[in-house]
Amino acid sequence: MKKEDFIERRKKLFEKMNDNELVILLSREESELYLRFNQDKNLFYMTGLETPKTVLVMFKKGEIETTFAFIERNVPERVVWYGEKMKKSEATEISGIETIYFYDELNAVLHYYLSVAENVYVNYETSEPFASKSNALVYINELRNNYPNLKFKQFNKIISSLRSVKDDSEIEELQKAIDITGAGIERIMKDSKPGMYEYQLESMLYDTMLSNGYREWGFTPIIAQGKNAATLHYSANNTLIEENKLVLLDVGASSSNYSADISRTFPVTGKFTERQKDVYSAVLFVQKTIINMVKPGISMKELNEETAKLISKELIKLGLITDEKDYKKYYMHSVSHHLGLDTHDLGSRTSVLEVGNVITVEPGIYIPEEEIGVRIEDDVLVTEAGHTVLSESIPKEIEDLENLASGK
Ligand code: GLY
Ligand code: MN
Ligand code: MN
């Protein structure tokens, strides 16, 4: 990601802002000593800065658009503990922002803007879990008290339509995250055996990521054998894998904060049973049909409705339900969400698709009483011509899965 990308994003945001509107984006809380710092996604999107005590300010007044940022001042006696802080010139080089202040100057510099602005967009919601512990939230509440005429708005509301249309750099990072995730998935399919614990499969993917310089997960991985796969948010990953079971992987590495989100389900022993094959084929058929519908102008609501229709028919064929209306017993989530900096990225789940959206397509069938859960999930870019499946190269055909898993 280069500074021109951030400059372009700020330019597009200014186009959406009204006169006398202010944006203040605060960084995430500094991590505990033993956790790596993880930047607020909106602040990263607008600046590329990955440091704590960092703030972006943008203000629009008439023709004048003002942008500046704050970073932490270097404290010489702390250098031996935490290293040098980023220099102003480095912050400018990363973000393309010319005017950089120090964080301890925040209140003095902001006072004028807070006094003249009518609306301010901020990136923290009072309803956030653990909100009371967040310094950022305490600060925003102070601003609310000190500037009672100022109207506070959620930054997500104004940035959502920009973040859901990906630029070339974002697609490049998503592709890298998807490719490394795919490499790890293939390794799992080849090397996993009954008698291993689910977390041993997790370690194969994590090792593939780390060995190639990808150090972060996009989200907590799901490695679920047998009946665990029928628990949608299973993440314990600590069960012994039994013979002849299906294993569901729902995993995604992150590349420069962009998350992949891929699900594959495969027979750990190298051969589907007839029943497993029937269920798998049903999900694969639905998934391919829905992917083929993806194009500009179609709504995610339509994709969901078609998925429900198709799955209902498949469930009847599988002898699981007799009335189409009962499909929710075996398929209970939606088929798509936007993907990007957040795994469940900004962008409505009912939005009409446009060129540059990246969404998942992830139908599933979950039958706990048969210890079977199948989900197949690909990451799909919406293009002029329709779509490109960014995760196309990760195997999902029955024959390929059996060959990989049986070592052929
Ligand atoms: N891994 C979360 C999801 O598939 O939506
Ligand atoms: Mn997923
Ligand atoms: Mn997903």
Side-chain angles (χ1 to χ4, degrees):
M1 212 136 292
K2 42 196 192 312
K3 69 177 175 210
E4 288 74 19
D5 295 320
F6 305 112
I7 292 170
E8 181 65 21
R9 291 173 198 171
R10 291 193 297 270
K11 184 169 155 251
K12 287 193 175 142
L13 177 58
F14 269 130
E15 284 164 17
K16 288 179 72 74
M17 285 167 67
N18 293 320
D19 206 23
N20 282 324
E21 281 192 330
L22 180 64
V23 165
I24 302 178
L25 298 185
L26 302 162
S27 53
R28 282 250 178 100
E29 215 72 2
E30 191 140 24
S31 307
E32 301 286 339
L33 268 183
Y34 38 82
L35 290 178
R36 250 197 302 275
F37 180 68
N38 184 5
Q39 187 58 287
D40 174 78
K41 296 298 199 300
N42 283 323
L43 182 57
F44 176 79
Y45 181 76
M46 302 306 299
T47 66
L49 299 174
E50 296 195 82
T51 39
K53 293 197 164 56
T54 299
V55 182
L56 170 70
V57 178
M58 293 169 65
F59 184 55
K60 180 162 171 169
K61 187 158 187 62
E63 295 296 298
I64 301 171
E65 296 173 345
T66 312
T67 303
F68 49 92
F70 296 82
I71 60 170
E72 218 177 342
R73 194 190 291 274
N74 203 35
V75 184
E77 54 274 29
R78 307 289 281 170
V79 167
V80 68
W81 293 93
Y82 299 109
E84 298 272 352
K85 299 290 175 202
M86 181 172 56
K87 295 187 178 63
K88 288 184 176 181
S89 58
E90 291 167 332
T92 298
E93 189 44 44
I94 293 168
S95 66
I97 299 170
E98 300 293 339
T99 310
I100 309 278
Y101 297 99
F102 286 121
Y103 188 74
D104 49 40
E105 301 168 300
L106 186 64
N107 286 333
V109 177
L110 272 191
H111 177 68
Y112 162 76
Y113 297 93
L114 290 161
S115 310
V116 296
E118 284 166 26
N119 298 318
V120 57
Y121 286 96
V122 290
N123 59 336
Y124 283 84
E125 299 196 32
T126 34
S127 59
E128 264 189 13
F130 314 114
S132 58
K133 286 193 188 155
S134 146
N135 288 337
L137 203 75
V138 170
Y139 181 71
I140 288 168
N141 281 333
E142 271 173 31
L143 295 185
R144 275 182 208 276
N145 291 334
N146 294 343
Y147 300 91
N149 295 329
L150 197 54
K151 218 165 140 239
F152 285 74
K153 297 184 171 187
Q154 284 307 321
F155 186 70
N156 276 351
K157 295 244 159 64
I158 193 169
I159 204 63
S160 177
S161 61
L162 293 182
R163 263 184 60 181
S164 63
V165 174
K166 270 66 186 175
D167 60 34
D168 290 347
S169 301
E170 295 184 284
I171 293 165
E172 212 175 286
E173 293 306 332
L174 281 167
Q175 188 69 66
K176 284 196 239 167
I178 290 164
D179 289 347
I180 199 66
T181 305
I185 289 175
E186 284 200 42
R187 179 163 157 205
I188 291 175
M189 287 175 176
K190 278 195 200 119
D191 293 350
S192 55
K193 297 184 194 64
M196 288 180 170
Y197 283 92
E198 291 162 338
Y199 54 72
Q200 291 177 272
L201 278 54
E202 179 178 334
S203 82
M204 293 177 201
L205 171 54
Y206 195 43
D207 177 62
T208 307
M209 287 161 50
L210 287 179
S211 322
N212 288 283
Y214 296 87
R215 300 172 66 196
E216 306 291 343
W217 295 103
F219 58 93
T220 305
I222 297 172
I223 316 277
Q225 75 103 38
K227 70 172 179 343
N228 293 340
T231 303
L232 294 185
H233 289 164
Y234 176 78
S235 62
N237 300 356
N238 61 0
T239 305
L240 201 65
I241 299 173
E242 294 167 37
E243 295 271 353
N244 299 318
K245 286 285 170 358
L246 292 182
V247 175
L248 187 158
L249 313 170
D250 184 346
V251 292
S254 142
S255 174
S256 190
N257 296 309
Y258 285 82
S259 171
D261 187 9
I262 309 289
S263 300
R264 289 291 184 268
T265 309
F266 71 102
V268 69
T269 322
K271 190 117 192 80
F272 284 90
T273 65
E274 283 310 308
R275 178 63 169 171
Q276 289 167 350
K277 195 183 276 188
D278 288 346
V279 177
Y280 188 89
S281 304
V283 178
L284 187 59
F285 162 72
V286 175
Q287 204 237 10
K288 287 180 180 174
T289 309
I290 300 300
I291 287 178
N292 281 330
M293 291 172 66
V294 173
K295 60 174 187 202
I298 195 159
S299 73
M300 284 160 91
K301 187 162 169 277
E302 285 170 88
L303 298 184
N304 274 319
E305 285 167 357
E306 189 59 22
T307 306
K309 248 188 243 164
L310 293 171
I311 288 203
S312 304
K313 291 200 170 68
E314 294 301 319
L315 291 174
I316 291 174
K317 281 194 237 159
L318 289 166
L320 289 163
I321 58 173
T322 50
D323 186 336
E324 287 191 11
K325 283 201 297 295
D326 295 333
Y327 74 89
K328 283 195 178 146
K329 183 165 180 220
Y330 296 103
Y331 167 67
M332 55 300 279
H333 53 80
S334 45
V335 76
S336 292
H337 55 80
H338 287 267
L339 182 69
L341 283 170
D342 289 305
T343 310
H344 291 174
D345 209 31
L346 290 182
S348 154
R349 290 205 179 194
T350 54
S351 62
V352 174
L353 296 180
E354 55 183 313
V355 174
N357 289 159
V358 176
I359 61 163
T360 63
V361 177
E362 51 177 309
I365 293 179
Y366 311 94
I367 323 170
E369 62 272 25
E370 297 186 34
E371 305 203 344
I372 291 176
V374 174
R375 178 162 62 255
I376 309 172
E377 174 174 25
D378 279 301
D379 301 340
V380 182
L381 168 68
V382 181
T383 63
E384 299 274 0
H387 61 265
T388 302
V389 182
L390 301 175
S391 45
E392 182 83 72
S393 67
I394 308 173
K396 63 181 176 184
E397 296 300 327
I398 287 183
E399 200 189 335
D400 295 334
L401 299 184
E402 290 193 335
N403 285 344
L404 273 167
S406 62
K408 278 193 198 139

